[in-house]
C-alpha cells in the first residue's frame, strides 16, 4: 500500500506488486500500481454503516435476535434481559425454537418458510415465548430475512406485550360480564 502522485499532480492510494524481470537484456523490476482510493473509501463507508446499524441494534429497547439455520448468532442487550440471560453468551449458539413456546413452534416455522419464499418481506405476529428459566410471555415479533456473513439469516425484533395482552383480556372479560 503506497501513496503515489499522478501525472496531473493529484495524490492517490495504490496497491503495488513488483517482480524482477529482464528488459531489453538488462535486469529490471516490473512495478504494477493499482489505484485503491475508491476501494478504501467504500470499505470505510461500509465500516461506518455497520457501526451505525450495530449501535441501533444495541440501544434498541426491543429484543433483537439473528439466527442462521435456526441457531442464534446475535442477541442485543434487550434480548438478553428479555429471555433471562446474563450475557449474550447465554443465547448465542442456542436453537431459536428454544425460545418459542412449544404450542407456537409451528407458527414460528411457518413464518420462517414465508420469509424464505419472500426474502424481501417482513412479518409481524404475536407469539408465545419461553425464557431460559422456563417462564413464558407473549411477544409481538417482527421478522425479516437478511444476509449474515454470507448466509441466509433471520432477524427478529421482539417486544414483550404480556401486560398489554392481559389488560386487553381483562377488558374483554369485563365487557362480556356487562352484556
Amino acid at each position: 500500500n503506497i501513496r503515489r502522485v499522478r501525472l496531473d499532480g493529484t495524490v492517490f492510494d495504490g496497491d503495488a506488486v513488483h517482480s524482477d524481470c529482464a528488459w531489453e537484456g538488462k535486469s529490471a523490476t516490473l512495478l504494477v500500481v493499482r489505484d485503491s482510493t475508491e476501494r478504501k473509501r467504500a470499505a470505510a463507508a461500509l465500516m461506518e454503516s455497520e457501526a451505525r446499524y450495530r449501535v441501533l441494534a444495541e440501544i434498541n429497547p426491543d429484543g433483537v435476535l439473528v439466527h442462521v439455520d435456526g441457531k442464534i448468532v446475535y442477541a442485543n442487550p434487550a434480548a438478553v434481559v428479555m429471555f433471562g440471560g446474563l450475557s449474550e453468551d447465554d443465547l448465542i449458539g442456542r436453537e431459536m425454537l428454544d425460545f418459542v413456546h412449544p404450542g407456537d413452534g409451528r407458527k414460528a416455522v411457518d413464518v420462517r418458510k414465508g420469509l424464505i419464499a419472500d426474502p424481501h418481506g417482513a412479518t409481524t405476529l404475536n407469539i408465545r415465548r419461553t425464557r431460559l428459566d422456563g417462564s413464558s410471555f407473549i411477544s409481538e415479533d417482527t421478522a425479516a430475512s437478511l444476509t449474515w456473513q454470507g448466509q441466509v439469516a433471520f432477524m427478529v425484533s421482539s417486544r414483550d406485550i404480556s401486560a398489554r395482552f392481559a389488560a386487553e383480556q381483562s377488558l374483554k372479560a369485563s365487557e362480556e360480564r356487562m352484556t
Side-chain angles (χ1 to χ4, degrees):
N1 192 0
I2 58 174
R3 286 201 90 114
R4 303 304 290 176
V5 179
R6 292 185 184 94
L7 291 175
D8 66 3
T10 59
V11 178
F12 70 96
D13 290 322
D15 293 325
V17 292
H18 65 88
S19 177
D20 293 332
C21 63
W23 181 262
E24 295 181 355
K26 296 182 184 175
S27 183
T29 300
L30 174 64
L31 178 66
V32 178
V33 178
R34 181 183 313 148
D35 186 342
S36 61
T37 306
E38 194 53 41
R39 181 184 53 79
K40 285 183 176 184
R41 266 193 220 132
L46 178 62
M47 284 176 50
E48 187 178 304
S49 175
E50 288 173 347
R52 276 194 310 268
Y53 282 107
R54 175 150 310 259
V55 168
L56 283 172
E58 295 292 314
I59 67 169
N60 191 335
D62 292 336
V64 176
L65 297 173
V66 176
H67 59 98
V68 174
D69 293 329
K71 294 216 182 283
I72 297 171
V73 295
Y74 172 80
N76 76 342
V80 171
V81 171
M82 181 181 292
F83 291 103
L86 298 176
S87 76
E88 72 175 3
D89 292 337
D90 292 329
L91 305 181
I92 301 296
R94 295 193 54 147
E95 292 289 330
M96 184 67 179
L97 288 175
D98 289 350
F99 299 97
V100 175
H101 186 279
D104 283 354
R106 170 60 45 207
K107 187 190 279 190
V109 169
D110 288 346
V111 165
R112 184 170 180 245
K113 286 180 182 176
L115 291 172
I116 290 170
D118 180 13
H120 301 292
T123 300
T124 300
L125 71 152
N126 293 345
I127 192 165
R128 292 175 293 173
R129 293 293 199 157
T130 304
R131 293 184 183 92
L132 287 166
D133 67 4
S135 64
S136 61
F137 64 98
I138 298 172
S139 175
E140 179 181 77
D141 286 6
T142 300
S145 62
L146 62 121
T147 301
W148 183 273
Q149 298 177 348
Q151 295 181 290
V152 174
F154 301 92
M155 178 182 287
V156 181
S157 177
S158 299
R159 177 175 295 158
D160 184 342
I161 61 166
S162 298
R164 182 177 85 194
F165 184 78
E168 288 171 357
Q169 294 302 312
S170 179
L171 179 62
K172 187 177 180 180
S174 177
E175 287 172 347
E176 288 174 359
R177 282 192 305 267
M178 295 178 129
T179 56

